[in-house]
């Protein structure tokens, strides 16, 4: 059965069989890539980026910047680029028509067939995608950090990544994910985008979205699931460590706050651009390809600082809703009301003067102080696991430190190519 | 017009509560999140800026609580000890001078 992804195109993995790979890369110029590009190669090859088959050419970039579409009209909101310096292009004598062996940590990872070599005004790209040209915007900083020349063309994986513990159960590419959804019998699946260890505000965001998604479906057997899809990419100091994020999200199910019948945890490799509304559209595309039917969007989805209004993403999604195969589920904030004595929604409770709002920063501060929070705020199983992860993976801290960045086990490695 | 002051939230577990009680400061504890106790040490604008400069992991939560968060645990421990030692929460100036 064909699996249809974003834009109505069939999802096909672009991965060479091991017996073909060694011969195909033999003699090709070897170009090392950094982690962002390696992540995006995986996303292209396994179908997270369907209908993209490789890195974008100039016409696609122009269309994304000016119309939030690929050149063929398919909705797309973030440029996917492969950059090199003029010197690297000259040093390897790279020209249109060449094939390159892209390596990661010295191991062959993929083949890029160069169809186009071009330059692009990075400031104009920032203004179009992020609505600003300020270098302090992390998406702009990433854009300005690109080297000067972009290479476009199809990408084929020659060597599957080995996902290292504890992440391996959570790497579920689109075709496999869709199979698992069928096995579970879920008719609707709602995405929870996260880069956080869950407090009960997050837990209730998921529970609320699950109820919204269930809507008119019959309740005799479980038909709706929540997919926690953690974004794994570049880390900044002070973020929660990846291991704590993925394991604690799964712990909500293991400890019974959800169950196998309605909850699953997975990861997507992606370096956040913090593009707010444009990133919301992009997340909708990623999760469409994973086979989800619904996507939760809260306030200021994927925003940063004060660049975007709290509901800008919702408004932009509405403009392309007819062309997306995923239904947005808009979530109000959840908070603790001492009068009600429970977690409640700001859309329900009217004890406004008594509300105790969740702040991710305050919760992190509690965790940092090592003071056990009440179970109404932070599930004890989750808190214990955060502390365990700090010891086991974080060099004593649940938050990213210089030591963690230097010494952590990478989420994935590329093994030597089989001869 | 009174100058704006920004709290540093020091979360209070049982052990800390006993120390605050002994220092006669238990009444200063407030309940912040679902019964979780906190004692607040306040910074003025200049002290807030100095703290954010001196401890780069710290963050001013401008969106929700208007408080200074994510100070390293050992810094918070030292602030707490200073509170108990001086039997007062007005200790930040002295703390910054000594640190």
């Amino acid at each position: 059965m064909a699996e249809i992804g974003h834009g109505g195109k069939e999802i096909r993995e672009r991965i060479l069989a091991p017996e073909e790979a060694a011969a195909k890369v033999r003699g090709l110029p070897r170009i090392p890539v950094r982690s962002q590009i390696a992540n995006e190669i995986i996303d292209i090859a396994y179908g997270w980026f369907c209908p993209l088959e490789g890195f974008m050419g100039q016409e696609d970039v122009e269309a994304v910047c000016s119309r939030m579409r690929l050149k063929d009209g398919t909705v797309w909101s973030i440029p996917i680029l492969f950059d090199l310096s003029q010197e690297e292009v000259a040093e390897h004598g790279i020209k249109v028509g060449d094939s390159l062996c892209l390596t990661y940590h010295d191991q062959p990872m993929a083949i890029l067939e160069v169809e186009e070599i071009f330059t692009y005004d990075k400031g104009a790209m920032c203004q179009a995608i992020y609505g600003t040209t300020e270098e302090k915007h992390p998406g702009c900083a990433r854009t300005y950090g690109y080297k000067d020349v972009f290479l476009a063309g199809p990408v084929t994986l020659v060597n599957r990544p080995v996902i290292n513990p504890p992440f391996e159960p959570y790497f579920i590419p689109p075709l496999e994910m869709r199979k698992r959804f069928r096995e579970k019998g879920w008719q609707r699946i709602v995405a929870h985008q996260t880069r956080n260890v869950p407090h009960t505000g997050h837990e209730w965001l998921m529970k609320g979205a699950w109820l919204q998604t269930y809507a008119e479906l019959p309740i005799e057997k479980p038909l709706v699931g929540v997919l926690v899809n953690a974004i794994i990419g570049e880390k900044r100091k002070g973020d929660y460590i990846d291991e704590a994020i993925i394991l604690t999200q799964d712990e909500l199910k293991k400890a019974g706050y959800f169950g196998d019948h309605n909850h699953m945890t997975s990861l997507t490799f992606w370096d956040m651009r913090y593009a707010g509304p444009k990133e919301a559209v992009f997340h909708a595309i990623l999760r469409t390809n994973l086979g989800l039917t619904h996507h939760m969007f809260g306030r200021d989805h994927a925003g940063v600082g004060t660049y975007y209004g709290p509901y800008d993403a919702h408004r932009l999604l509405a403009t392309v809703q007819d062309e997306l195969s995923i239904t947005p589920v808009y979530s109000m904030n959840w908070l603790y009301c001492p009068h009600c004595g429970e977690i409640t929604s700001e859309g329900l409770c009217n004890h406004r003067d008594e509300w105790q709002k969740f702040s991710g920063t305050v919760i992190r501060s509690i965790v940092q102080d090592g003071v056990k929070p009440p179970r109404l705020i932070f599930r004890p199983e989750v808190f214990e696991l955060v502390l365990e992860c700090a010891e086991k993976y974080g060099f004593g801290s649940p938050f990213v430190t210089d030591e963690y960045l230097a010494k952590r086990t990478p989420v994935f490695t590329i093994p030597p190519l089989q001869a | 017009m009174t100058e704006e002051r920004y709290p540093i939230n020091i979360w209070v577990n049982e052990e800390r509560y006993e120390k605050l009680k002994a220092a006669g400061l238990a009444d200063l504890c407030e309940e912040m999140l679902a019964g979780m106790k906190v004692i607040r040490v306040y910074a003025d604008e200049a002290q807030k800026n100095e703290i954010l400069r001196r401890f780069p992991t710290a963050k001013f939560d401008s969106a929700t609580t208007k408080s200074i968060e994510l100070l390293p645990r050992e810094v918070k421990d030292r602030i707490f000890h200073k509170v108990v030692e001086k039997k007062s929460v007005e200790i930040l100036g002295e703390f910054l001078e000594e640190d």
Side-chain angles (χ1 to χ4, degrees):
Chain A
M1 186 180 92
E3 292 290 354
I4 304 303
H6 174 62
K9 187 164 176 186
E10 184 179 352
I11 298 173
R12 288 191 183 161
E13 293 187 346
R14 300 181 57 81
I15 304 171
L16 278 185
E19 57 274 19
E20 284 182 86
K24 290 271 189 187
V25 300
R26 195 168 298 131
L28 299 182
R30 289 165 67 103
I31 309 291
V33 300
R34 61 186 184 279
S35 63
Q36 175 196 327
I37 302 293
N39 286 342
E40 289 165 14
I41 289 170
I42 291 172
D43 292 330
I44 293 166
Y46 282 93
W48 268 275
F49 284 180
C50 178
L52 294 192
E53 295 182 344
F55 290 101
M56 285 182 177
Q58 188 163 9
E59 273 187 75
D60 272 333
V61 177
E62 183 58 40
V64 169
C65 289
S66 61
R67 299 186 286 126
M68 203 174 75
R69 287 167 192 282
L70 301 173
K71 65 184 178 190
D72 69 3
T74 305
V75 170
W76 197 278
S77 55
I78 307 270
I80 303 298
L81 298 164
F82 183 88
D83 61 316
L84 284 182
S85 66
Q86 295 277 14
E87 292 73 25
E88 286 169 308
V89 172
E91 181 192 334
H92 295 284
I94 298 169
K95 56 188 185 309
V96 170
D98 285 353
S99 291
L100 309 176
C101 172
L102 307 183
T103 64
Y104 187 57
H105 294 161
D106 288 334
Q107 299 300 335
M109 181 178 188
I111 294 172
L112 168 64
E113 298 163 59
V114 183
E115 291 184 341
E116 195 183 339
I117 300 173
F118 65 101
T119 59
Y120 204 91
D121 181 338
K122 294 176 193 171
M125 194 184 300
C126 288
Q127 187 61 48
I129 305 302
Y130 303 109
T132 178
T133 55
E134 291 182 355
E135 283 190 36
K136 68 178 185 184
H137 185 296
C140 292
R142 185 175 293 278
T143 303
Y144 292 130
Y146 280 124
K147 296 170 197 167
D148 292 334
V149 179
F150 299 113
L151 275 59
V155 166
T156 308
L157 199 70
V158 295
N159 206 354
R160 289 175 190 262
V162 172
I163 311 297
N164 294 316
F167 299 99
E168 66 273 50
Y170 306 105
F171 178 75
I172 311 169
L175 295 181
E176 171 64 19
M177 184 70 86
R178 288 164 174 240
K179 191 167 144 249
R180 294 205 196 175
F181 289 159
R182 277 195 297 275
E183 287 166 2
K184 282 183 173 287
W186 290 346
Q187 290 183 14
R188 293 179 188 168
I189 310 101
V190 59
H192 175 57
Q193 142 82 28
T194 192
R195 290 174 298 116
N196 257 311
V197 162
H199 53 61
T200 50
H202 297 124
E203 184 185 317
W204 273 98
L205 277 173
M206 286 185 259
K207 288 176 171 173
W210 181 85
L211 288 165
Q212 284 172 271
T213 304
Y214 222 113
E216 84 294 355
L217 289 178
I219 56 171
E220 291 163 289
K221 55 181 182 176
L223 296 177
V224 175
V226 173
L227 180 78
V228 178
N229 192 227
I231 291 291
I232 302 289
E234 186 180 54
K235 303 300 290 184
R236 295 191 294 187
K237 278 206 294 186
D239 291 346
Y240 279 112
I241 59 174
D242 285 330
E243 293 84 352
I245 295 169
I246 201 90
L247 293 174
T248 56
Q249 290 287 350
D250 200 21
E251 184 65 19
L252 284 181
K253 179 189 72 181
K254 290 179 174 168
Y257 301 100
F258 292 93
D260 275 326
H261 62 291
N262 60 17
H263 188 276
M264 197 196 297
T265 299
S266 69
L267 63 82
T268 288
F269 293 121
W270 173 246
D271 293 277
M272 286 285 294
R273 307 302 205 259
Y274 301 94
K278 294 282 176 80
E279 187 129 358
V281 171
F282 185 74
H283 288 170
I285 293 168
L286 288 179
R287 276 67 190 238
T288 298
N289 287 327
L290 276 172
L292 289 106
T293 59
H294 292 65
H295 197 305
M296 187 195 313
F297 295 99
R299 285 165 55 92
D300 197 22
H301 184 93
V304 61
T306 54
Y307 286 102
Y308 313 109
Y311 303 109
D312 285 358
H314 302 189
R315 284 190 278 271
L316 186 65
L317 283 160
T319 66
V320 291
Q321 184 53 55
D322 293 347
E323 297 171 78
L324 297 175
S325 306
I326 197 164
T327 304
V329 171
Y330 298 128
S331 303
M332 293 187 212
N333 282 338
W334 293 79
L335 47 85
Y336 177 73
C337 172
H339 197 108
C340 300
E342 64 190 16
I343 308 297
T344 183
S345 165
E346 64 183 12
L348 290 170
C349 173
N350 206 30
H351 305 120
R352 291 166 186 271
D353 295 341
E354 299 174 60
W355 285 356
Q356 296 175 355
K357 292 187 179 180
F358 285 96
S359 148
T361 309
V362 168
I363 298 284
R364 289 199 306 162
S365 151
I366 296 171
V367 172
Q368 182 138 316
D369 281 16
V371 176
K372 192 171 185 172
R375 63 166 49 239
L376 265 173
I377 297 301
F378 216 89
R379 301 302 189 187
E381 298 90 342
V382 171
F383 186 74
E384 295 302 326
L385 189 51
V386 169
L387 300 187
E388 195 181 313
C389 286
E391 291 311 312
K392 196 167 175 186
Y393 304 108
F395 307 92
S397 170
F399 303 110
V400 172
T401 59
D402 286 328
E403 189 177 12
Y404 176 80
L405 290 173
K407 296 181 183 170
R408 71 173 297 194
T409 302
V411 181
F412 68 85
T413 43
I414 303 296
L417 201 55
Q418 292 174 27
Chain B
M1 199 173 103
T2 41
E3 191 184 11
E4 187 120 28
R5 281 156 51 90
Y6 308 97
I8 296 170
N9 294 313
I10 299 179
W11 301 97
V12 177
N13 57 13
E14 264 181 44
E15 184 193 341
R16 281 182 171 172
Y17 190 69
E18 290 305 315
K19 287 182 179 167
L20 289 171
K21 241 174 29 182
L25 298 174
D27 289 351
L28 291 182
C29 286
E30 297 172 46
E31 289 198 358
M32 188 164 165
L33 258 181
M36 190 147 189
K37 288 190 180 63
V38 69
I39 188 162
R40 294 192 165 103
V41 174
Y42 286 90
D44 60 26
E45 182 74 28
Q47 288 168 336
K48 180 193 84 173
N49 294 337
E50 178 59 18
I51 286 166
L52 296 179
R53 188 192 67 77
R54 220 182 273 191
F55 307 107
T57 59
K59 189 176 165 188
F60 179 59
D61 183 5
S62 57
T64 313
T65 58
K66 313 284 181 207
S67 56
I68 300 164
E69 301 293 348
L70 299 179
L71 278 165
R73 189 191 295 192
E74 52 91 17
V75 175
K76 287 244 201 125
D77 284 345
R78 282 192 280 130
I79 293 174
F80 180 77
H81 288 142
K82 181 63 93 183
V83 167
V84 172
E85 180 195 324
K86 295 290 173 187
K87 298 185 169 30
S88 166
V89 291
E90 300 295 334
I91 51 88
L92 210 54
E94 193 177 327
F95 174 81
L96 287 170
E97 269 174 33
E98 289 174 5
D99 194 62

